[in-house]
Amino acid sequence: QVQLVESGGGLVQAGGSLSLSCVVSGRTFSTLTMGWFRQDQGKEREFVATISWSNGHTLYADAVKGRFTISRDNAKSTVYLQMNSLKPEDTAVYYCAAGRTSWATRESHLYDYWGQGTQVTVSS
């Protein structure tokens, strides 16, 4: 059984930073494309960032480009999301996702496994 466990969420002031982690177990991490999505109350889930397993290619949502960085450590079966210059509109539950697709993708339906989410709250 594949499990994804996120950590690192919390409360931060606008302009601050947070680092999220997601540990994967139950499947060979190095063959999974990893993504981060987020969902605020009353809104649809939206893509944040992704990193492929095949070539390490990354994609970012326009709203976070230049502020967030996704990375992975295959030896630790962990994907990270470094979030800098946080804004109140970044407030959401952040979900880690894993997919067997070879390519970095924004499409949530291409991810096969999901974590439970971690809350990020940015105060103004």
Side-chain angles (χ1 to χ4, degrees), residues 38 46-48 60-68 85 87 89-90:
R38 66 187 182 186
E46 64 176 2
F47 165 77
V48 175
Y60 295 92
D62 288 344
V64 307
K65 201 174 295 183
R67 299 188 298 121
F68 290 11
S85 302
K87 304 175 181 181
E89 51 264 44
D90 294 318

Side-chain angles (χ1 to χ4, degrees), residues 51-115:
I51 183 167
S52 73
W53 69 264
S54 57
N55 58 6
H57 184 56
T58 58
L59 293 173
Y60 295 92
D62 288 344
V64 307
K65 201 174 295 183
R67 299 188 298 121
F68 290 11
T69 302
I70 188 171
S71 61
R72 62 188 298 155
D73 185 336
N74 288 343
K76 296 182 178 180
S77 298
T78 302
V79 62
Y80 305 95
L81 185 69
Q82 178 64 41
M83 306 184 293
N84 298 328
S85 302
L86 283 161
K87 304 175 181 181
E89 51 264 44
D90 294 318
T91 295
V93 176
Y94 282 70
Y95 296 93
C96 174
R100 292 167 287 180
T101 178
S102 298
W103 314 114
T105 178
R106 296 180 173 88
E107 302 299 325
S108 61
H109 69 276
L110 293 178
Y111 291 86
D112 305 289
Y113 314 105
W114 293 81

